[in-house]
Amino acid sequence: MLKSPLSLIDDIFIPSIRVLEAKRLRELHMSQTKIASLLGVSQPAVKQYLDEDENIYYRRLQNLGLTKEELDDFLEKLTQLLINGEPKQVMQYISVFFLSNLSRLKFCKFHKMMDTEIPTDCDICKGLYKENEEEMIELALYMLQNESVALLIPEVLSNIAFAKSNAKSIEDVIAIPGRITKIRGIPTPASKPMWGGSRHLAKVLLAVIAKYPSIRSVMNIKFDSNVEVVLKLLNYKYKKVGPQDNADDDKISQLISSVFEEGIDAIIHLGGNGVEPNTYVFGRDPLDVVKKVINIGVKYRETFSR
Protein backbone atom coordinates (compact mmCIF):
# COMPACT_ATOMS: atom_id res chain seq x y z
CA MET A 1 0.00 0.00 0.00
CA LEU A 2 1.28 3.47 -0.89
CA LYS A 3 2.49 5.56 2.06
CA SER A 4 1.11 9.10 2.23
CA PRO A 5 3.68 11.91 1.95
CA LEU A 6 1.97 13.45 5.00
CA SER A 7 3.42 10.61 7.07
CA LEU A 8 6.82 12.26 6.64
CA ILE A 9 5.85 15.02 9.08
CA ASP A 10 5.33 12.55 11.95
CA ASP A 11 8.00 10.04 10.99
CA ILE A 12 10.90 12.40 10.22
CA PHE A 13 10.13 16.11 10.33
CA ILE A 14 8.65 16.64 13.81
CA PRO A 15 11.03 14.29 15.68
CA SER A 16 14.05 15.94 14.06
CA ILE A 17 12.78 19.48 14.66
CA ARG A 18 12.20 18.73 18.34
CA VAL A 19 15.85 17.78 18.83
CA LEU A 20 17.22 20.77 16.90
CA GLU A 21 14.85 23.24 18.54
CA ALA A 22 15.62 21.91 22.04
CA LYS A 23 19.28 22.63 21.42
CA ARG A 24 18.51 26.17 20.22
CA LEU A 25 16.39 26.91 23.27
CA ARG A 26 19.15 25.58 25.51
CA GLU A 27 21.54 28.07 23.90
CA LEU A 28 19.20 30.78 25.22
CA HIS A 29 19.97 29.43 28.74
CA MET A 30 16.50 27.97 29.24
CA SER A 31 16.03 25.20 31.78
CA GLN A 32 15.06 21.72 30.64
CA THR A 33 11.70 22.19 32.37
CA LYS A 34 11.01 25.38 30.40
CA ILE A 35 12.07 23.75 27.12
CA ALA A 36 9.81 20.79 27.84
CA SER A 37 6.90 23.16 28.42
CA LEU A 38 7.50 25.02 25.15
CA LEU A 39 7.93 21.85 23.09
CA GLY A 40 5.05 20.00 24.76
CA VAL A 41 7.18 17.02 25.83
CA SER A 42 8.50 15.60 29.11
CA GLN A 43 11.66 16.84 30.82
CA PRO A 44 13.37 13.41 30.40
CA ALA A 45 12.65 13.66 26.66
CA VAL A 46 14.37 17.06 26.56
CA LYS A 47 17.40 15.61 28.35
CA GLN A 48 17.57 12.92 25.69
CA TYR A 49 17.27 15.50 22.89
CA LEU A 50 20.13 17.54 24.33
CA ASP A 51 22.35 14.46 24.42
CA GLU A 52 21.77 13.75 20.71
CA ASP A 53 24.14 14.70 17.89
CA GLU A 54 22.34 17.50 16.04
CA ASN A 55 24.21 16.72 12.81
CA ILE A 56 22.33 13.43 12.52
CA TYR A 57 19.03 15.29 12.52
CA TYR A 58 20.21 17.97 10.11
CA ARG A 59 21.23 15.18 7.72
CA ARG A 60 17.81 13.50 8.04
CA LEU A 61 16.06 16.72 7.10
CA GLN A 62 18.52 17.47 4.32
CA ASN A 63 17.88 13.99 2.93
CA LEU A 64 14.21 14.92 2.95
CA GLY A 65 15.04 17.73 0.51
CA LEU A 66 15.67 20.80 2.70
CA THR A 67 18.89 22.82 2.76
CA LYS A 68 20.81 23.75 5.91
CA GLU A 69 20.02 27.43 5.23
CA GLU A 70 16.29 26.71 4.94
CA LEU A 71 16.35 24.71 8.16
CA ASP A 72 18.22 27.37 10.13
CA ASP A 73 15.82 30.04 8.86
CA PHE A 74 12.82 27.89 9.88
CA LEU A 75 14.27 27.14 13.32
CA GLU A 76 15.05 30.80 14.00
CA LYS A 77 11.46 31.81 13.25
CA LEU A 78 10.08 28.85 15.19
CA THR A 79 12.10 29.91 18.24
CA GLN A 80 10.45 33.34 18.24
CA LEU A 81 6.99 31.81 17.92
CA LEU A 82 7.65 29.34 20.73
CA ILE A 83 8.70 32.22 22.98
CA ASN A 84 6.02 34.73 21.99
CA GLY A 85 3.14 32.77 20.49
CA GLU A 86 0.53 30.25 21.50
CA PRO A 87 0.58 26.51 20.65
CA LYS A 88 -1.93 27.14 17.86
CA GLN A 89 0.39 29.63 16.14
CA VAL A 90 3.36 27.30 16.53
CA MET A 91 1.48 24.45 14.87
CA GLN A 92 0.21 26.80 12.15
CA TYR A 93 3.76 27.77 11.26
CA ILE A 94 5.02 24.19 11.26
CA SER A 95 2.10 23.17 9.03
CA VAL A 96 2.63 26.11 6.66
CA PHE A 97 6.33 25.34 6.32
CA PHE A 98 5.87 21.61 5.78
CA LEU A 99 2.89 21.82 3.41
CA SER A 100 4.35 24.66 1.32
CA ASN A 101 7.54 22.64 0.77
CA LEU A 102 5.48 19.55 0.06
CA SER A 103 3.47 21.44 -2.56
CA ARG A 104 6.71 22.64 -4.16
CA LEU A 105 7.56 18.94 -4.54
CA LYS A 106 10.68 19.27 -2.38
CA PHE A 107 10.12 15.88 -0.75
CA CYS A 108 9.32 13.88 -3.88
CA LYS A 109 12.74 12.29 -4.37
CA PHE A 110 12.87 11.04 -0.79
CA HIS A 111 9.25 9.85 -0.87
CA LYS A 112 9.82 7.85 -4.06
CA MET A 113 12.93 6.27 -2.51
CA MET A 114 10.78 5.15 0.43
CA ASP A 115 8.00 3.78 -1.77
CA THR A 116 8.92 2.46 -5.20
CA GLU A 117 5.25 2.03 -6.13
CA ILE A 118 4.81 5.80 -6.49
CA PRO A 119 4.49 6.71 -10.20
CA THR A 120 7.50 8.60 -11.56
CA ASP A 121 5.26 11.39 -12.90
CA CYS A 122 3.37 11.88 -9.62
CA ASP A 123 2.81 15.56 -8.73
CA ILE A 124 -0.36 15.27 -6.65
CA CYS A 125 1.16 17.28 -3.78
CA LYS A 126 1.12 20.46 -5.87
CA GLY A 127 -2.43 21.14 -4.74
CA LEU A 128 -1.96 20.52 -1.01
CA TYR A 129 -1.11 24.07 0.03
CA LYS A 130 -2.63 27.44 -0.81
CA GLU A 131 -0.95 30.51 0.62
CA ASN A 132 -2.97 32.39 3.22
CA GLU A 133 -1.65 35.96 3.51
CA GLU A 134 -3.80 36.78 6.53
CA GLU A 135 -2.47 33.77 8.43
CA MET A 136 1.12 34.68 7.54
CA ILE A 137 0.87 38.27 8.78
CA GLU A 138 -0.84 37.14 12.00
CA LEU A 139 2.07 34.77 12.65
CA ALA A 140 4.52 37.61 11.98
CA LEU A 141 2.74 39.81 14.54
CA TYR A 142 3.14 37.10 17.18
CA MET A 143 6.85 36.91 16.36
CA LEU A 144 7.14 40.69 16.74
CA GLN A 145 6.19 40.62 20.43
CA ASN A 146 9.80 41.14 21.43
CA GLU A 147 11.08 43.88 23.75
CA SER A 148 14.08 44.49 21.52
CA VAL A 149 11.82 45.37 18.58
CA ALA A 150 10.13 48.07 20.68
CA LEU A 151 13.41 50.02 20.56
CA LEU A 152 13.00 50.34 16.79
CA ILE A 153 9.50 51.84 16.60
CA PRO A 154 9.68 55.40 15.19
CA GLU A 155 7.66 58.47 16.17
CA VAL A 156 5.30 57.83 13.24
CA LEU A 157 4.93 54.23 14.53
CA SER A 158 5.69 51.05 12.58
CA ASN A 159 3.65 48.95 10.21
CA ILE A 160 4.13 45.73 8.30
CA ALA A 161 2.62 44.93 4.92
CA PHE A 162 2.29 41.81 2.77
CA ALA A 163 1.18 41.81 -0.85
CA LYS A 164 -0.72 39.16 -2.74
CA SER A 165 1.15 37.42 -5.52
CA ASN A 166 0.85 39.67 -8.61
CA ALA A 167 -0.50 42.55 -6.49
CA LYS A 168 -1.62 45.56 -8.53
CA SER A 169 -3.41 47.90 -6.12
CA ILE A 170 -3.38 49.10 -2.51
CA GLU A 171 -6.30 46.75 -1.81
CA ASP A 172 -4.01 43.81 -2.71
CA VAL A 173 -1.74 44.64 0.25
CA ILE A 174 -2.61 43.65 3.82
CA ALA A 175 -1.34 45.79 6.72
CA ILE A 176 -2.35 47.14 10.14
CA PRO A 177 -4.80 50.08 10.26
CA GLY A 178 -3.54 52.36 13.04
CA ARG A 179 -0.06 50.82 12.76
CA ILE A 180 2.08 49.12 15.43
CA THR A 181 2.81 50.96 18.68
CA LYS A 182 4.37 49.76 21.92
CA ILE A 183 2.44 49.00 25.09
CA ARG A 184 4.43 48.21 28.25
CA GLY A 185 7.53 47.83 26.12
CA ILE A 186 6.01 45.30 23.69
CA PRO A 187 5.20 46.01 20.00
CA THR A 188 1.41 45.90 19.75
CA PRO A 189 -0.79 46.26 16.65
CA ALA A 190 -3.55 48.86 16.96
CA SER A 191 -6.01 46.58 15.16
CA LYS A 192 -6.29 43.39 13.18
CA PRO A 193 -4.65 43.25 9.73
CA MET A 194 -6.80 44.56 6.89
CA TRP A 195 -6.52 44.64 3.11
CA GLY A 196 -5.63 48.21 2.15
CA GLY A 197 -4.60 48.88 5.77
CA SER A 198 -1.58 51.07 4.91
CA ARG A 199 -1.53 53.32 1.87
CA HIS A 200 2.08 54.34 2.54
CA LEU A 201 3.64 50.87 2.82
CA ALA A 202 1.43 49.56 0.03
CA LYS A 203 2.78 52.23 -2.33
CA VAL A 204 6.37 51.41 -1.33
CA LEU A 205 5.81 47.69 -1.76
CA LEU A 206 3.97 47.93 -5.07
CA ALA A 207 6.77 50.09 -6.50
CA VAL A 208 9.37 47.47 -5.50
CA ILE A 209 7.21 44.54 -6.65
CA ALA A 210 7.01 46.06 -10.13
CA LYS A 211 10.75 45.37 -10.43
CA TYR A 212 11.19 42.43 -8.04
CA PRO A 213 7.97 40.35 -7.73
CA SER A 214 9.46 38.00 -5.14
CA ILE A 215 9.81 40.84 -2.59
CA ARG A 216 6.30 40.93 -1.17
CA SER A 217 6.67 42.27 2.37
CA VAL A 218 8.06 45.35 4.13
CA MET A 219 8.16 46.87 7.61
CA ASN A 220 9.21 50.38 8.58
CA ILE A 221 11.35 50.97 11.67
CA LYS A 222 13.19 54.03 12.93
CA PHE A 223 16.45 55.33 11.54
CA ASP A 224 19.35 56.72 13.51
CA SER A 225 23.11 56.31 13.18
CA ASN A 226 22.99 53.31 15.53
CA VAL A 227 20.58 51.46 13.22
CA GLU A 228 23.06 51.89 10.39
CA VAL A 229 25.86 50.53 12.58
CA VAL A 230 23.71 47.49 13.38
CA LEU A 231 22.94 46.85 9.70
CA LYS A 232 26.68 46.77 9.06
CA LEU A 233 27.32 44.45 12.04
CA LEU A 234 24.69 42.04 10.72
CA ASN A 235 26.09 42.24 7.17
CA TYR A 236 22.68 43.31 5.89
CA LYS A 237 22.73 44.88 2.46
CA TYR A 238 21.22 48.36 2.49
CA LYS A 239 21.10 51.67 0.65
CA LYS A 240 20.30 55.23 1.69
CA VAL A 241 18.09 57.70 -0.16
CA GLY A 242 17.03 61.29 0.46
CA PRO A 243 16.57 63.59 2.14
CA GLN A 244 13.32 64.66 0.48
CA ASP A 245 11.43 67.68 1.77
CA ASN A 246 7.63 67.43 1.99
CA ALA A 247 7.67 64.15 0.04
CA ASP A 248 4.39 62.28 -0.37
CA ASP A 249 3.84 58.52 -0.58
CA ASP A 250 4.37 58.46 -4.35
CA LYS A 251 7.68 60.33 -4.23
CA ILE A 252 9.03 58.22 -1.37
CA SER A 253 8.02 54.94 -3.02
CA GLN A 254 9.50 55.98 -6.38
CA LEU A 255 12.81 56.97 -4.78
CA ILE A 256 13.03 53.72 -2.81
CA SER A 257 12.22 51.55 -5.84
CA SER A 258 14.75 53.43 -7.99
CA VAL A 259 17.67 52.15 -5.87
CA PHE A 260 16.28 48.74 -4.94
CA GLU A 261 18.27 45.79 -6.28
CA GLU A 262 18.72 42.05 -5.81
CA GLY A 263 19.67 41.03 -2.28
CA ILE A 264 18.68 44.30 -0.58
CA ASP A 265 17.57 43.85 3.05
CA ALA A 266 16.76 47.48 3.85
CA ILE A 267 16.44 50.95 2.38
CA ILE A 268 17.08 53.94 4.64
CA HIS A 269 15.06 57.04 3.78
CA LEU A 270 16.75 60.05 5.39
CA GLY A 271 13.50 61.97 5.71
CA GLY A 272 13.37 65.71 5.20
CA ASN A 273 11.19 68.69 6.05
CA GLY A 274 7.92 67.14 7.23
CA VAL A 275 9.22 63.57 6.75
CA GLU A 276 10.66 61.46 9.59
CA PRO A 277 13.69 59.31 8.66
CA ASN A 278 12.74 55.62 8.46
CA THR A 279 14.35 52.31 7.64
CA TYR A 280 12.33 50.02 5.37
CA VAL A 281 13.10 46.32 5.89
CA PHE A 282 12.14 44.06 2.98
CA GLY A 283 11.66 40.32 2.51
CA ARG A 284 9.83 37.53 0.68
CA ASP A 285 7.06 37.39 3.28
CA PRO A 286 6.28 38.94 6.69
CA LEU A 287 8.02 36.14 8.59
CA ASP A 288 11.19 36.83 6.62
CA VAL A 289 10.88 40.57 7.37
CA VAL A 290 10.19 40.10 11.07
CA LYS A 291 13.16 37.77 11.47
CA LYS A 292 15.40 40.55 10.13
CA VAL A 293 13.74 43.18 12.33
CA ILE A 294 14.19 41.01 15.44
CA ASN A 295 17.86 40.50 14.57
CA ILE A 296 18.26 44.27 14.19
CA GLY A 297 16.47 44.91 17.50
CA VAL A 298 18.47 42.33 19.45
CA LYS A 299 21.79 43.60 18.08
CA TYR A 300 20.72 47.22 18.69
CA ARG A 301 19.91 46.41 22.30
CA GLU A 302 23.12 44.45 22.85
CA THR A 303 25.27 47.20 21.36
CA PHE A 304 23.67 50.44 22.49
CA SER A 305 21.36 49.81 25.48
CA ARG A 306 23.83 48.92 28.16
Side-chain angles (χ1 to χ4, degrees):
M1 181 177 178
L2 296 176
K3 192 169 187 179
S4 167
L6 294 174
S7 65
L8 299 176
I9 193 167
D10 291 325
D11 294 347
I12 297 172
F13 188 76
I14 294 295
S16 300
I17 289 301
R18 280 182 178 143
V19 172
L20 296 174
E21 189 58 38
K23 289 180 176 290
R24 285 189 170 241
L25 294 171
R26 187 60 169 169
E27 289 173 1
L28 298 177
H29 309 293
M30 288 189 185
S31 68
Q32 290 186 18
T33 302
K34 177 65 173 176
I35 295 170
S37 174
L38 290 176
L39 295 182
V41 298
S42 66
Q43 187 272 329
V46 170
K47 183 179 185 305
Q48 181 180 341
Y49 296 160
L50 296 175
D51 289 338
E52 297 280 0
D53 180 356
E54 69 175 22
N55 293 316
I56 293 173
Y57 295 90
Y58 268 115
R59 283 196 294 271
R60 286 182 184 176
L61 293 169
Q62 287 173 297
N63 289 338
L64 199 59
L66 299 165
T67 67
K68 176 72 160 50
E69 292 73 22
E70 288 170 332
L71 290 167
D72 284 336
D73 179 70
F74 168 77
L75 290 164
E76 190 173 346
K77 293 170 182 173
L78 181 60
T79 298
Q80 291 300 324
L81 280 171
L82 283 166
I83 293 171
N84 300 328
E86 300 291 334
K88 178 182 176 182
Q89 284 77 43
V90 171
M91 289 312 301
Q92 277 181 328
Y93 178 50
I94 291 172
S95 299
V96 165
F97 181 83
F98 184 84
L99 290 174
S100 62
N101 279 287
L102 190 64
S103 69
R104 288 197 289 266
L105 308 182
K106 295 267 288 192
F107 306 147
C108 286
K109 183 177 179 181
F110 183 86
H111 190 210
K112 289 171 182 174
M113 286 173 56
M114 285 181 57
D115 195 333
T116 56
E117 294 183 41
I118 297 172
T120 56
D121 61 348
C122 175
D123 63 357
I124 194 171
C125 293
K126 274 186 177 180
L128 287 179
Y129 175 74
K130 186 179 185 300
E131 184 177 69
N132 185 325
E133 295 90 352
E134 295 178 13
E135 179 182 74
M136 292 283 279
I137 203 163
E138 289 278 8
L139 288 173
L141 290 172
Y142 276 100
M143 283 176 63
L144 268 180
Q145 294 176 19
N146 185 304
E147 291 181 353
S148 297
V149 174
L151 300 172
L152 303 177
I153 294 178
E155 292 297 321
V156 293
L157 305 183
S158 290
N159 210 331
I160 186 168
F162 185 31
K164 293 180 180 179
S165 181
N166 302 314
K168 302 298 182 186
S169 73
I170 292 170
E171 296 303 317
D172 292 330
V173 181
I174 191 169
I176 317 300
R179 308 179 192 176
I180 299 168
T181 185
K182 49 188 172 185
I183 298 176
R184 296 180 180 177
I186 298 295
T188 305
S191 61
K192 291 184 70 66
M194 180 185 297
W195 294 102
S198 171
R199 177 182 175 84
H200 176 62
L201 284 192
K203 290 255 186 178
V204 169
L205 200 51
L206 289 168
V208 170
I209 285 173
K211 295 169 63 178
Y212 295 94
S214 64
I215 303 300
R216 295 171 50 203
S217 188
V218 64
M219 179 173 174
N220 71 299
I221 58 174
K222 75 178 184 181
F223 172 70
D224 60 25
S225 59
N226 292 342
V227 168
E228 186 169 8
V229 169
V230 167
L231 292 174
K232 291 177 180 176
L233 290 172
L234 292 170
N235 293 317
Y236 282 174
K237 186 176 179 180
Y238 71 94
K239 288 193 174 185
K240 293 196 286 187
V241 296
Q244 280 180 300
D245 290 339
N246 303 308
D248 60 16
D249 293 336
D250 288 320
K251 290 179 180 177
I252 292 172
S253 62
Q254 288 165 11
L255 186 57
I256 289 173
S257 67
S258 71
V259 300
F260 200 93
E261 60 185 36
E262 192 73 36
I264 285 282
D265 295 297
I267 299 287
I268 294 166
H269 189 286
L270 294 172
N273 184 25
V275 181
E276 182 183 354
N278 264 242
T279 305
Y280 295 85
V281 182
F282 293 88
R284 302 179 307 273
D285 59 51
L287 300 180
D288 189 36
V289 168
V290 167
K291 186 187 81 167
K292 294 176 184 179
V293 169
I294 290 172
N295 288 340
I296 294 168
V298 169
K299 183 63 72 174
Y300 190 101
R301 189 174 195 174
E302 288 174 354
T303 309
F304 299 108
S305 298
R306 294 173 181 172

